[in-house]
Amino acid sequence: MQTDAPFWDSLVFDGIDDVGVEAVTVAFGTVEVVARGRMAGAACPDCGRFADRVHDRYQRRLKDLLTRCPELDTAAGHVRDFGEMLTDRLGATLPAWIDAVEASRLPGLTGFALHLRRDLDAVIAGLTLDWSSGSVEGAVNRIKKIKRQLYGRAGFHLLRKMILLQ
């Protein structure tokens, strides 16, 4: 994702000549654009009031950015579709989703799709079946915790008794 100020200046503040982008930060799926007014008195892009001092920070709504940046709109659509697959257990639609992501050529999502394709059968089963290995994983973690607590203090016989008693 681009983090240069001229790109975001043209994307977010298109048509607003009195505002200049100072910094852009991209982290954890959010984009923060820091901008300042160029004139002593100007209309604030956020509230629209004319003032001597324009607000230091201006945040566009997500839908405004999505309409101006097709890459963000495509990425948001793919993420929404994957979320629907997770919540509605639609594992059968995963190969078509992976093909759509690879066709869009978005770097972060294509890498994710590539890793999903490596073990496609297991991922489809995980997205489709109601079975869960959560109880087995919980038991394994409990045994590992007991083993760590007894490390260097006792042998296998005491470890076995502790596991069976708890």
Side-chain angles (χ1 to χ4, degrees):
M1 182 166 300
Q2 293 187 5
T3 58
D4 57 328
F7 170 77
W8 287 97
D9 191 16
S10 66
L11 179 71
V12 179
F13 300 105
D14 186 32
I16 304 174
D17 297 330
D18 301 336
V19 177
V21 174
E22 290 185 350
V24 178
T25 307
V26 179
F28 305 111
T30 62
V31 178
E32 182 179 346
V33 179
V34 178
R36 294 195 186 274
R38 292 187 183 132
M39 299 174 56
C44 173
D46 196 22
C47 65
R49 291 184 295 160
F50 188 83
D52 290 335
R53 185 168 171 239
V54 178
H55 297 290
D56 289 339
R57 293 177 187 259
Y58 172 67
Q59 180 180 359
R60 278 270 189 190
R61 302 287 178 246
L62 179 60
K63 70 177 185 178
D64 294 338
L65 286 177
L66 295 180
T67 58
R68 291 178 173 221
C69 184
E71 292 87 9
L72 284 176
D73 191 28
T74 305
H78 289 317
V79 170
R80 257 187 255 107
D81 293 343
F82 190 76
E84 287 177 15
M85 274 192 285
L86 287 174
T87 56
D88 298 337
R89 297 202 174 272
L90 302 172
T93 61
L94 183 65
W97 181 85
I98 291 175
D99 292 338
V101 167
E102 288 176 348
S104 67
R105 298 180 182 253
L106 297 170
L109 287 177
T110 52
F112 177 67
L114 175 70
H115 289 290
L116 290 179
R117 195 180 287 276
R118 286 183 182 169
D119 200 3
L120 188 62
D121 293 334
V123 176
I124 289 174
L127 288 172
T128 307
L129 302 175
D130 291 330
W131 299 337
S132 172
S133 62
S135 58
V136 174
E137 293 293 330
V140 168
N141 284 334
R142 182 179 62 86
I143 292 170
K144 286 181 180 180
K145 182 188 82 164
I146 294 170
K147 185 179 174 183
R148 278 193 302 271
Q149 289 172 343
L150 295 176
Y151 182 77
R153 296 191 184 129
F156 176 73
H157 297 294
L158 183 59
L159 175 63
R160 182 175 182 269
K161 286 183 183 179
M162 292 292 290
I163 290 171
L164 293 175
L165 291 175
Q166 284 189 358

